Amino acid sequence: MSQPPAQDNDAFIDYGALRALVVDDSPGMRNALRLTLSNFGITKIQMVANAAEAIFQIKNRSYDFILCDFNLGVGRDGQQLLEELRHGNLIALETVFMMVTAESYYEKVVATAELAPDDYMIKPFSAELLCSRLTGILLRKRAFRDVYWHFQAQDLEASITACDALIHNKPKYAVDALRFKGELLVALGRFEEAEALYQQVVSMRAIPWARLGLARALHLQKKNEAAEEELRDVLERAPEMVAAYDLLSDVCLEKKDVAAAQEALEKGVAISAKTVRRQQKLGEVAYGNGDLDTARTAFDNVLEKGRHSIFVTPADFGNLCRVQLEQGDLEAVADTLKKNKSTLQANPEGQLVMAVTQSIAHTRTGNLSEAAKALDVVAGLRADGTRGDAQLMLDLAGACMANGRHEEADAVVAEVARNAHDSEALLAKAKRLYDEAGRTDAGASVLASATGDVRKLNNEGVVLAQRGDYKTAVEKLLTACSEAPYNPRILMNAVWVILKYIDQVGMDETMIETARTQLREAERQAPGHPRLAGLRLQMKDVETRFGIQRKAVR
Amino acid sequence: MKFDGTDFYAALIHELKNNLGVLSMTLERIPLLGEAEHDASVDSARLLCQNVVDRLHQALLIYKAANQPIHPVLDAYSPHDLVQEIAAGAKALAHGRLHVETSIAGDTPILWFFDRDLVEMALLNAIHNALTHARSTIRIEAEMEAGCLALRVRDDSPGYPEHILESVADGRPYAATGTGLGLQFARLIARSHDNRGRLGELRLGNDSGAVFSLLLP
Ligand SMILES: Nc1ncnc2c1ncn2[C@@H]1O[C@H](COP(=O)(O)OP(=O)(O)O)[C@@H](O)[C@H]1O
């Protein structure tokens, strides 16, 4: 196996070689920051005024140091920029990202957010302070070189070993190394070990990130009572800790305590309203709870605060319109569509949201010819392979039924059901549609045949795999996948049997490529699903084992 | 257009801090000419500016602390780095007018748990006081005392007035030449650090000058 580059133990930092990016909306501040940096020898400095320019620069060349103001005027703020950079893997772990904040309030929120910068500077600050902070971080990142190197090569085991080396040999970085190791253990699905690690840190001192890590490890092992207790106590001591509210809502959802889940998200939003994903989740949970007012505010906020965020998708427009429709506020629906017309027209998914929403609105007002036109647009988009999220598709099915287009409705429902054959909530919603249309029996048969086919193929595949007949199991599950190409459970089972099959008969390049594609799709459909980590690991394992054999044969 | 008070307030603070930042960085760049009168006024302008900056930070935090207790966000930090950082800041402010020394006792742990920003703010206030009162030397120290990390700022001033020593020891307000907020604030910060029921402390004393000690459990 290849090895990371040799360790440079020197504590010397060559600032002249460092490439820096300054992101600040005020020209005066940019200039002052440039002079501050040049004070301690940083001369390769690029300066930009906003997040969009920053992303453009970062995509063009890599930077060692990004100094970014939290408040960037209109457009994305510094935290949103950071989230985008980390989410899109646009910056390496070695890159130092420092946030400049004007208010110590933000700093608290930023410090305890899940995606924290390497450090933050409270404005205004002296050149000396910036220099000593930066030096400290650069030296730390240097000490973490092996850890990062293995991590970026996706060799998480080796990355853990490198963390252990730091824990034992570099006491100064021991706590940082424990923190990184905890995240690696969670990524690997080794939740019990993660729990023990966080417990070890907490016994040194109950620092918030360690308690949050502990709660997460507990939650991932379905020890939700203990997780909730931990989180409630954390929040009593550190009420600004927004990430704890997010996790608490997950815990409550799993406990089916939907009211408490909503309450947790509302508290998180009250502290930090800008995080798009928190608003999305609040909207979904509140909608599920029938609290349409809260859902509408949250979905409104998603579009408002997330106007410049990559985390906003056409589904978010659909979500807002759905609530407005259910509230009978057709004027607001028209307004939403009008205001966001150009955004929605820009891609087929957006066009689908628009057409589905219009078809429902026109049906409501009794304008059936317009409704039919909108449904024709939808049919055209669907024929080209455009699809929306399950909620939108069920809305569509409802509109089709209301316009007497029952065959179309059945096809849409069947597609949703195949791809979510084990989602009780969605199947129940589909059933309600048929009940309301007075077609209960028809619905039962559509749902039974759609889920039955997939379930049967899936079960047969799994049983065959358990018996060791991986070849036939693969065939069954691949058929299931072609029936239900977005069903995360089926996708994950298919990946699992393909890996077993390769294990048994040796490398099959086409098969492993199929498995890779399906794993990616599963990750898209069910991000953060607990099974994904294990599958990724098995994939990696198969790849390295057979990769080595291939090389040895040559 | 609707006028939103909070947004306005936030925008105003943002702008003021920007301007203040630019001002302080501009002052940093005025060269010293070795000409007593010029250098002295540049020095005092810098000191005053930094003072305004630190005061503003303090004021904002106190403004918040008025409605809710201070919640320190603990993490592991190196006391060694902290002492060096504070000393670098003090040296920059002293501009060679005073000696800045550091001393880190052998028993100082490699890592300790505290809220770096709060602790830094408390120490910076002590540094400002020392810069005003010291004759020639400021000393920043770290050592262990009774199971706590002790961070000290010593100077060779005439020492704290008796009434300040008494008031701070009892946690009572005191009359001061300035706002008199700094030391009270340092005390609040110290006491917000809690390790299994053991609270941090601010201890003031006079040795061969003023001794400001922050004890962190
Ligand atoms: N290093 C020092 N040496 C002598 N006296 C000091 C020192 N630091 C503070 N003092 C005294 O303590 C008082 C209170 O200080 P502080 O609470 O920081 O408020 P302020 O500096 O705004 O007056 C000062 O006014 C001063 O009289």
Side-chain angles (χ1 to χ4, degrees), chain B residues 55 58 125-126 129-131 133-134 155 157-161 163-164 174-185 206 209-211:
Chain B
R55 275 289 192 238
Q58 242 182 42
N125 182 67
N129 283 339
L131 287 170
H133 299 279
D155 61 34
S157 69
Y160 292 107
H163 76 278
I164 296 269
Y174 47 84
T177 45
T179 60
L181 281 177
L183 293 173
Q184 295 187 64
F185 188 54
N206 291 327
V211 187

PDB file of all heavy atoms in Angstrom, chain B residues 55 58 125-126 129-131 133-134 155 157-161 163-164 174-185 206 209-211, ligand 1:
ATOM      1  N   ARG B  55     -13.400  46.955  25.199  1.00  0.00           N
ATOM      2  CA  ARG B  55     -14.563  47.395  25.966  1.00  0.00           C
ATOM      3  C   ARG B  55     -15.861  47.040  25.250  1.00  0.00           C
ATOM      4  O   ARG B  55     -16.836  46.629  25.861  1.00  0.00           O
ATOM      5  CB  ARG B  55     -14.527  48.912  26.147  1.00  0.00           C
ATOM      6  CG  ARG B  55     -13.703  49.351  27.306  1.00  0.00           C
ATOM      7  CD  ARG B  55     -14.415  48.991  28.595  1.00  0.00           C
ATOM      8  NE  ARG B  55     -13.783  49.650  29.727  1.00  0.00           N
ATOM      9  CZ  ARG B  55     -13.292  49.016  30.766  1.00  0.00           C
ATOM     10  NH1 ARG B  55     -13.335  47.704  30.835  1.00  0.00           N
ATOM     11  NH2 ARG B  55     -12.766  49.680  31.764  1.00  0.00           N
ATOM     12  N   GLN B  58     -16.615  43.481  25.626  1.00  0.00           N
ATOM     13  CA  GLN B  58     -17.088  43.275  26.994  1.00  0.00           C
ATOM     14  C   GLN B  58     -18.530  43.710  27.146  1.00  0.00           C
ATOM     15  O   GLN B  58     -19.365  42.979  27.667  1.00  0.00           O
ATOM     16  CB  GLN B  58     -16.253  44.161  27.914  1.00  0.00           C
ATOM     17  CG  GLN B  58     -15.463  43.432  28.931  1.00  0.00           C
ATOM     18  CD  GLN B  58     -14.736  44.451  29.789  1.00  0.00           C
ATOM     19  OE1 GLN B  58     -15.280  45.483  30.185  1.00  0.00           O
ATOM     20  NE2 GLN B  58     -13.478  44.156  30.069  1.00  0.00           N
ATOM     21  N   ASN B 125      -8.406  42.397  29.836  1.00  0.00           N
ATOM     22  CA  ASN B 125      -8.770  43.515  30.679  1.00  0.00           C
ATOM     23  C   ASN B 125      -7.682  43.763  31.724  1.00  0.00           C
ATOM     24  O   ASN B 125      -7.287  44.900  31.979  1.00  0.00           O
ATOM     25  CB  ASN B 125     -10.114  43.237  31.355  1.00  0.00           C
ATOM     26  CG  ASN B 125     -10.547  44.406  32.204  1.00  0.00           C
ATOM     27  OD1 ASN B 125     -10.840  45.467  31.696  1.00  0.00           O
ATOM     28  ND2 ASN B 125     -10.523  44.217  33.513  1.00  0.00           N
ATOM     29  N   ALA B 126      -7.179  42.664  32.272  1.00  0.00           N
ATOM     30  CA  ALA B 126      -6.098  42.800  33.256  1.00  0.00           C
ATOM     31  C   ALA B 126      -4.859  43.414  32.606  1.00  0.00           C
ATOM     32  O   ALA B 126      -4.150  44.222  33.217  1.00  0.00           O
ATOM     33  CB  ALA B 126      -5.759  41.449  33.871  1.00  0.00           C
ATOM     34  N   ASN B 129      -5.330  47.126  32.287  1.00  0.00           N
ATOM     35  CA  ASN B 129      -5.101  47.753  33.591  1.00  0.00           C
ATOM     36  C   ASN B 129      -3.613  47.836  33.902  1.00  0.00           C
ATOM     37  O   ASN B 129      -3.114  48.872  34.337  1.00  0.00           O
ATOM     38  CB  ASN B 129      -5.799  46.954  34.693  1.00  0.00           C
ATOM     39  CG  ASN B 129      -7.296  47.218  34.714  1.00  0.00           C
ATOM     40  OD1 ASN B 129      -7.753  48.239  34.193  1.00  0.00           O
ATOM     41  ND2 ASN B 129      -8.054  46.298  35.286  1.00  0.00           N
ATOM     42  N   ALA B 130      -2.909  46.740  33.639  1.00  0.00           N
ATOM     43  CA  ALA B 130      -1.479  46.714  33.953  1.00  0.00           C
ATOM     44  C   ALA B 130      -0.736  47.729  33.089  1.00  0.00           C
ATOM     45  O   ALA B 130       0.173  48.419  33.565  1.00  0.00           O
ATOM     46  CB  ALA B 130      -0.926  45.309  33.742  1.00  0.00           C
ATOM     47  N   LEU B 131      -1.125  47.826  31.834  1.00  0.00           N
ATOM     48  CA  LEU B 131      -0.461  48.786  30.950  1.00  0.00           C
ATOM     49  C   LEU B 131      -0.629  50.212  31.455  1.00  0.00           C
ATOM     50  O   LEU B 131       0.242  51.058  31.301  1.00  0.00           O
ATOM     51  CB  LEU B 131      -1.024  48.690  29.525  1.00  0.00           C
ATOM     52  CG  LEU B 131      -0.623  47.475  28.699  1.00  0.00           C
ATOM     53  CD1 LEU B 131      -1.457  47.401  27.432  1.00  0.00           C
ATOM     54  CD2 LEU B 131       0.861  47.523  28.361  1.00  0.00           C
ATOM     55  N   HIS B 133      -1.129  51.026  34.727  1.00  0.00           N
ATOM     56  CA  HIS B 133      -0.585  51.260  36.068  1.00  0.00           C
ATOM     57  C   HIS B 133       0.861  50.835  36.267  1.00  0.00           C
ATOM     58  O   HIS B 133       1.526  51.318  37.173  1.00  0.00           O
ATOM     59  CB  HIS B 133      -1.459  50.552  37.119  1.00  0.00           C
ATOM     60  CG  HIS B 133      -2.874  51.043  37.148  1.00  0.00           C
ATOM     61  ND1 HIS B 133      -3.245  52.200  37.796  1.00  0.00           N
ATOM     62  CD2 HIS B 133      -4.015  50.560  36.600  1.00  0.00           C
ATOM     63  CE1 HIS B 133      -4.548  52.404  37.649  1.00  0.00           C
ATOM     64  NE2 HIS B 133      -5.037  51.408  36.918  1.00  0.00           N
ATOM     65  N   ALA B 134       1.372  49.906  35.446  1.00  0.00           N
ATOM     66  CA  ALA B 134       2.707  49.356  35.708  1.00  0.00           C
ATOM     67  C   ALA B 134       3.795  50.409  35.505  1.00  0.00           C
ATOM     68  O   ALA B 134       3.627  51.336  34.711  1.00  0.00           O
ATOM     69  CB  ALA B 134       2.968  48.166  34.795  1.00  0.00           C
ATOM     70  N   ASP B 155       2.128  42.989  37.773  1.00  0.00           N
ATOM     71  CA  ASP B 155       2.844  44.188  37.325  1.00  0.00           C
ATOM     72  C   ASP B 155       3.603  44.795  38.496  1.00  0.00           C
ATOM     73  O   ASP B 155       3.550  44.276  39.607  1.00  0.00           O
ATOM     74  CB  ASP B 155       1.873  45.196  36.687  1.00  0.00           C
ATOM     75  CG  ASP B 155       0.799  45.665  37.646  1.00  0.00           C
ATOM     76  OD1 ASP B 155       1.099  45.783  38.851  1.00  0.00           O
ATOM     77  OD2 ASP B 155      -0.340  45.890  37.188  1.00  0.00           O
ATOM     78  N   SER B 157       3.105  47.909  39.593  1.00  0.00           N
ATOM     79  CA  SER B 157       2.370  49.137  39.926  1.00  0.00           C
ATOM     80  C   SER B 157       2.331  49.277  41.449  1.00  0.00           C
ATOM     81  O   SER B 157       2.779  48.388  42.166  1.00  0.00           O
ATOM     82  CB  SER B 157       0.937  49.029  39.391  1.00  0.00           C
ATOM     83  OG  SER B 157       0.238  48.043  40.126  1.00  0.00           O
ATOM     84  N   PRO B 158       1.745  50.379  41.934  1.00  0.00           N
ATOM     85  CA  PRO B 158       1.585  50.493  43.396  1.00  0.00           C
ATOM     86  C   PRO B 158       0.604  49.451  43.958  1.00  0.00           C
ATOM     87  O   PRO B 158       0.434  49.361  45.173  1.00  0.00           O
ATOM     88  CB  PRO B 158       1.017  51.904  43.582  1.00  0.00           C
ATOM     89  CG  PRO B 158       1.289  52.626  42.309  1.00  0.00           C
ATOM     90  CD  PRO B 158       1.332  51.610  41.232  1.00  0.00           C
ATOM     91  N   GLY B 159      -0.041  48.702  43.109  1.00  0.00           N
ATOM     92  CA  GLY B 159      -0.964  47.671  43.596  1.00  0.00           C
ATOM     93  C   GLY B 159      -2.403  48.147  43.597  1.00  0.00           C
ATOM     94  O   GLY B 159      -2.685  49.328  43.396  1.00  0.00           O
ATOM     95  N   TYR B 160      -3.328  47.193  43.776  1.00  0.00           N
ATOM     96  CA  TYR B 160      -4.749  47.547  43.811  1.00  0.00           C
ATOM     97  C   TYR B 160      -5.054  48.334  45.068  1.00  0.00           C
ATOM     98  O   TYR B 160      -4.520  48.012  46.138  1.00  0.00           O
ATOM     99  CB  TYR B 160      -5.615  46.276  43.833  1.00  0.00           C
ATOM    100  CG  TYR B 160      -5.569  45.460  42.561  1.00  0.00           C
ATOM    101  CD1 TYR B 160      -4.882  44.246  42.534  1.00  0.00           C
ATOM    102  CD2 TYR B 160      -6.217  45.881  41.408  1.00  0.00           C
ATOM    103  CE1 TYR B 160      -4.836  43.474  41.378  1.00  0.00           C
ATOM    104  CE2 TYR B 160      -6.168  45.123  40.257  1.00  0.00           C
ATOM    105  CZ  TYR B 160      -5.483  43.927  40.245  1.00  0.00           C
ATOM    106  OH  TYR B 160      -5.448  43.191  39.119  1.00  0.00           O
ATOM    107  N   PRO B 161      -5.917  49.326  44.976  1.00  0.00           N
ATOM    108  CA  PRO B 161      -6.357  50.014  46.190  1.00  0.00           C
ATOM    109  C   PRO B 161      -7.089  49.041  47.121  1.00  0.00           C
ATOM    110  O   PRO B 161      -7.707  48.079  46.637  1.00  0.00           O
ATOM    111  CB  PRO B 161      -7.326  51.084  45.672  1.00  0.00           C
ATOM    112  CG  PRO B 161      -7.215  51.092  44.183  1.00  0.00           C
ATOM    113  CD  PRO B 161      -6.534  49.845  43.763  1.00  0.00           C
ATOM    114  N   HIS B 163      -9.822  49.188  48.822  1.00  0.00           N
ATOM    115  CA  HIS B 163     -11.279  48.989  48.691  1.00  0.00           C
ATOM    116  C   HIS B 163     -11.609  48.059  47.519  1.00  0.00           C
ATOM    117  O   HIS B 163     -12.576  47.315  47.562  1.00  0.00           O
ATOM    118  CB  HIS B 163     -12.005  50.332  48.547  1.00  0.00           C
ATOM    119  CG  HIS B 163     -11.897  50.973  47.203  1.00  0.00           C
ATOM    120  ND1 HIS B 163     -10.807  51.714  46.810  1.00  0.00           N
ATOM    121  CD2 HIS B 163     -12.744  50.958  46.140  1.00  0.00           C
ATOM    122  CE1 HIS B 163     -10.993  52.138  45.565  1.00  0.00           C
ATOM    123  NE2 HIS B 163     -12.157  51.686  45.135  1.00  0.00           N
ATOM    124  N   ILE B 164     -10.766  48.064  46.478  1.00  0.00           N
ATOM    125  CA  ILE B 164     -11.005  47.162  45.348  1.00  0.00           C
ATOM    126  C   ILE B 164     -10.774  45.723  45.793  1.00  0.00           C
ATOM    127  O   ILE B 164     -11.564  44.814  45.513  1.00  0.00           O
ATOM    128  CB  ILE B 164     -10.051  47.514  44.185  1.00  0.00           C
ATOM    129  CG1 ILE B 164     -10.344  48.900  43.655  1.00  0.00           C
ATOM    130  CG2 ILE B 164     -10.116  46.457  43.083  1.00  0.00           C
ATOM    131  CD1 ILE B 164     -11.326  48.992  42.539  1.00  0.00           C
ATOM    132  N   TYR B 174     -17.833  48.200  43.226  1.00  0.00           N
ATOM    133  CA  TYR B 174     -16.842  49.107  43.800  1.00  0.00           C
ATOM    134  C   TYR B 174     -16.778  50.393  42.977  1.00  0.00           C
ATOM    135  O   TYR B 174     -17.192  50.431  41.810  1.00  0.00           O
ATOM    136  CB  TYR B 174     -15.461  48.462  43.800  1.00  0.00           C
ATOM    137  CG  TYR B 174     -15.129  47.816  42.471  1.00  0.00           C
ATOM    138  CD1 TYR B 174     -14.608  48.562  41.418  1.00  0.00           C
ATOM    139  CD2 TYR B 174     -15.367  46.452  42.269  1.00  0.00           C
ATOM    140  CE1 TYR B 174     -14.332  47.971  40.203  1.00  0.00           C
ATOM    141  CE2 TYR B 174     -15.088  45.863  41.062  1.00  0.00           C
ATOM    142  CZ  TYR B 174     -14.568  46.631  40.026  1.00  0.00           C
ATOM    143  OH  TYR B 174     -14.312  46.054  38.815  1.00  0.00           O
ATOM    144  N   ALA B 175     -16.259  51.419  43.592  1.00  0.00           N
ATOM    145  CA  ALA B 175     -16.044  52.673  42.876  1.00  0.00           C
ATOM    146  C   ALA B 175     -14.717  52.589  42.145  1.00  0.00           C
ATOM    147  O   ALA B 175     -13.743  52.077  42.678  1.00  0.00           O
ATOM    148  CB  ALA B 175     -16.002  53.825  43.881  1.00  0.00           C
ATOM    149  N   ALA B 176     -14.686  53.003  40.875  1.00  0.00           N
ATOM    150  CA  ALA B 176     -13.453  52.915  40.112  1.00  0.00           C
ATOM    151  C   ALA B 176     -13.289  54.174  39.290  1.00  0.00           C
ATOM    152  O   ALA B 176     -14.229  54.961  39.138  1.00  0.00           O
ATOM    153  CB  ALA B 176     -13.489  51.695  39.203  1.00  0.00           C
ATOM    154  N   THR B 177     -12.089  54.347  38.769  1.00  0.00           N
ATOM    155  CA  THR B 177     -11.849  55.539  37.949  1.00  0.00           C
ATOM    156  C   THR B 177     -12.542  55.403  36.599  1.00  0.00           C
ATOM    157  O   THR B 177     -13.037  56.365  36.041  1.00  0.00           O
ATOM    158  CB  THR B 177     -10.337  55.760  37.742  1.00  0.00           C
ATOM    159  OG1 THR B 177      -9.763  54.502  37.419  1.00  0.00           O
ATOM    160  CG2 THR B 177      -9.702  56.324  38.976  1.00  0.00           C
ATOM    161  N   GLY B 178     -12.575  54.175  36.078  1.00  0.00           N
ATOM    162  CA  GLY B 178     -13.241  53.940  34.793  1.00  0.00           C
ATOM    163  C   GLY B 178     -14.666  53.474  35.025  1.00  0.00           C
ATOM    164  O   GLY B 178     -15.350  53.946  35.934  1.00  0.00           O
ATOM    165  N   THR B 179     -15.097  52.522  34.223  1.00  0.00           N
ATOM    166  CA  THR B 179     -16.444  51.983  34.394  1.00  0.00           C
ATOM    167  C   THR B 179     -16.515  51.058  35.595  1.00  0.00           C
ATOM    168  O   THR B 179     -17.576  50.817  36.141  1.00  0.00           O
ATOM    169  CB  THR B 179     -16.860  51.153  33.181  1.00  0.00           C
ATOM    170  OG1 THR B 179     -15.927  50.083  33.056  1.00  0.00           O
ATOM    171  CG2 THR B 179     -16.880  51.963  31.911  1.00  0.00           C
ATOM    172  N   GLY B 180     -15.348  50.524  35.952  1.00  0.00           N
ATOM    173  CA  GLY B 180     -15.320  49.576  37.055  1.00  0.00           C
ATOM    174  C   GLY B 180     -15.968  48.262  36.703  1.00  0.00           C
ATOM    175  O   GLY B 180     -16.329  47.474  37.570  1.00  0.00           O
ATOM    176  N   LEU B 181     -16.125  48.020  35.419  1.00  0.00           N
ATOM    177  CA  LEU B 181     -16.779  46.780  35.005  1.00  0.00           C
ATOM    178  C   LEU B 181     -15.790  45.628  34.851  1.00  0.00           C
ATOM    179  O   LEU B 181     -16.129  44.467  35.073  1.00  0.00           O
ATOM    180  CB  LEU B 181     -17.477  46.986  33.659  1.00  0.00           C
ATOM    181  CG  LEU B 181     -18.815  47.694  33.672  1.00  0.00           C
ATOM    182  CD1 LEU B 181     -19.313  47.873  32.249  1.00  0.00           C
ATOM    183  CD2 LEU B 181     -19.824  46.898  34.495  1.00  0.00           C
ATOM    184  N   GLY B 182     -14.573  45.975  34.455  1.00  0.00           N
ATOM    185  CA  GLY B 182     -13.603  44.958  34.043  1.00  0.00           C
ATOM    186  C   GLY B 182     -13.401  43.852  35.058  1.00  0.00           C
ATOM    187  O   GLY B 182     -13.521  42.671  34.733  1.00  0.00           O
ATOM    188  N   LEU B 183     -13.113  44.232  36.294  1.00  0.00           N
ATOM    189  CA  LEU B 183     -12.800  43.217  37.295  1.00  0.00           C
ATOM    190  C   LEU B 183     -14.041  42.421  37.682  1.00  0.00           C
ATOM    191  O   LEU B 183     -13.974  41.216  37.909  1.00  0.00           O
ATOM    192  CB  LEU B 183     -12.175  43.872  38.530  1.00  0.00           C
ATOM    193  CG  LEU B 183     -10.779  44.474  38.270  1.00  0.00           C
ATOM    194  CD1 LEU B 183     -10.301  45.259  39.482  1.00  0.00           C
ATOM    195  CD2 LEU B 183      -9.775  43.381  37.920  1.00  0.00           C
ATOM    196  N   GLN B 184     -15.185  43.121  37.724  1.00  0.00           N
ATOM    197  CA  GLN B 184     -16.427  42.384  38.028  1.00  0.00           C
ATOM    198  C   GLN B 184     -16.716  41.359  36.957  1.00  0.00           C
ATOM    199  O   GLN B 184     -17.169  40.250  37.221  1.00  0.00           O
ATOM    200  CB  GLN B 184     -17.605  43.366  38.098  1.00  0.00           C
ATOM    201  CG  GLN B 184     -17.489  44.343  39.235  1.00  0.00           C
ATOM    202  CD  GLN B 184     -18.758  45.165  39.344  1.00  0.00           C
ATOM    203  OE1 GLN B 184     -19.825  44.633  39.619  1.00  0.00           O
ATOM    204  NE2 GLN B 184     -18.635  46.472  39.147  1.00  0.00           N
ATOM    205  N   PHE B 185     -16.434  41.777  35.733  1.00  0.00           N
ATOM    206  CA  PHE B 185     -16.673  40.894  34.614  1.00  0.00           C
ATOM    207  C   PHE B 185     -15.734  39.677  34.676  1.00  0.00           C
ATOM    208  O   PHE B 185     -16.159  38.537  34.472  1.00  0.00           O
ATOM    209  CB  PHE B 185     -16.454  41.684  33.325  1.00  0.00           C
ATOM    210  CG  PHE B 185     -16.855  40.931  32.109  1.00  0.00           C
ATOM    211  CD1 PHE B 185     -18.125  40.393  32.005  1.00  0.00           C
ATOM    212  CD2 PHE B 185     -15.962  40.749  31.068  1.00  0.00           C
ATOM    213  CE1 PHE B 185     -18.498  39.694  30.875  1.00  0.00           C
ATOM    214  CE2 PHE B 185     -16.327  40.051  29.941  1.00  0.00           C
ATOM    215  CZ  PHE B 185     -17.599  39.518  29.839  1.00  0.00           C
ATOM    216  N   ASN B 206      -1.791  42.037  46.219  1.00  0.00           N
ATOM    217  CA  ASN B 206      -0.644  42.894  45.957  1.00  0.00           C
ATOM    218  C   ASN B 206       0.599  42.178  46.425  1.00  0.00           C
ATOM    219  O   ASN B 206       0.650  41.659  47.538  1.00  0.00           O
ATOM    220  CB  ASN B 206      -0.796  44.232  46.688  1.00  0.00           C
ATOM    221  CG  ASN B 206      -1.924  45.064  46.081  1.00  0.00           C
ATOM    222  OD1 ASN B 206      -2.161  44.990  44.870  1.00  0.00           O
ATOM    223  ND2 ASN B 206      -2.619  45.823  46.912  1.00  0.00           N
ATOM    224  N   GLY B 209       3.476  44.588  43.387  1.00  0.00           N
ATOM    225  CA  GLY B 209       2.619  45.258  42.416  1.00  0.00           C
ATOM    226  C   GLY B 209       1.292  44.553  42.447  1.00  0.00           C
ATOM    227  O   GLY B 209       1.018  43.777  43.364  1.00  0.00           O
ATOM    228  N   ALA B 210       0.450  44.828  41.462  1.00  0.00           N
ATOM    229  CA  ALA B 210      -0.854  44.170  41.430  1.00  0.00           C
ATOM    230  C   ALA B 210      -0.696  42.745  40.896  1.00  0.00           C
ATOM    231  O   ALA B 210       0.092  42.510  39.990  1.00  0.00           O
ATOM    232  CB  ALA B 210      -1.803  44.955  40.545  1.00  0.00           C
ATOM    233  N   VAL B 211      -1.429  41.807  41.500  1.00  0.00           N
ATOM    234  CA  VAL B 211      -1.430  40.428  41.013  1.00  0.00           C
ATOM    235  C   VAL B 211      -2.875  40.022  40.728  1.00  0.00           C
ATOM    236  O   VAL B 211      -3.704  39.967  41.629  1.00  0.00           O
ATOM    237  CB  VAL B 211      -0.830  39.446  42.033  1.00  0.00           C
ATOM    238  CG1 VAL B 211      -0.705  38.054  41.396  1.00  0.00           C
ATOM    239  CG2 VAL B 211       0.511  39.927  42.535  1.00  0.00           C
TER     240      VAL B 211
HETATM  241  N1  LIG C   1      -2.923  46.682  37.619  1.00  0.00           N
HETATM  242  C1  LIG C   1      -3.492  47.570  38.445  1.00  0.00           C
HETATM  243  N2  LIG C   1      -2.748  48.286  39.272  1.00  0.00           N
HETATM  244  C2  LIG C   1      -3.321  49.190  40.100  1.00  0.00           C
HETATM  245  N3  LIG C   1      -4.648  49.425  40.157  1.00  0.00           N
HETATM  246  C3  LIG C   1      -5.451  48.756  39.349  1.00  0.00           C
HETATM  247  C4  LIG C   1      -4.920  47.787  38.449  1.00  0.00           C
HETATM  248  N4  LIG C   1      -5.949  47.250  37.768  1.00  0.00           N
HETATM  249  C5  LIG C   1      -7.061  47.845  38.211  1.00  0.00           C
HETATM  250  N5  LIG C   1      -6.781  48.753  39.167  1.00  0.00           N
HETATM  251  C6  LIG C   1      -7.747  49.575  39.884  1.00  0.00           C
HETATM  252  O1  LIG C   1      -8.994  48.879  39.934  1.00  0.00           O
HETATM  253  C7  LIG C   1     -10.053  49.691  39.401  1.00  0.00           C
HETATM  254  C8  LIG C   1     -11.104  48.836  38.711  1.00  0.00           C
HETATM  255  O2  LIG C   1     -10.619  48.257  37.546  1.00  0.00           O
HETATM  256  P1  LIG C   1     -11.597  47.716  36.454  1.00  0.00           P
HETATM  257  O3  LIG C   1     -12.660  46.943  37.115  1.00  0.00           O
HETATM  258  O4  LIG C   1     -10.820  47.012  35.418  1.00  0.00           O
HETATM  259  O5  LIG C   1     -12.337  48.980  35.851  1.00  0.00           O
HETATM  260  P2  LIG C   1     -11.748  50.264  35.103  1.00  0.00           P
HETATM  261  O6  LIG C   1     -10.433  49.864  34.576  1.00  0.00           O
HETATM  262  O7  LIG C   1     -12.784  50.529  34.093  1.00  0.00           O
HETATM  263  O8  LIG C   1     -11.674  51.321  36.158  1.00  0.00           O
HETATM  264  C9  LIG C   1      -9.335  50.661  38.515  1.00  0.00           C
HETATM  265  O9  LIG C   1     -10.064  51.848  38.385  1.00  0.00           O
HETATM  266  C10 LIG C   1      -8.018  50.884  39.222  1.00  0.00           C
HETATM  267  O10 LIG C   1      -8.164  51.842  40.249  1.00  0.00           O
END
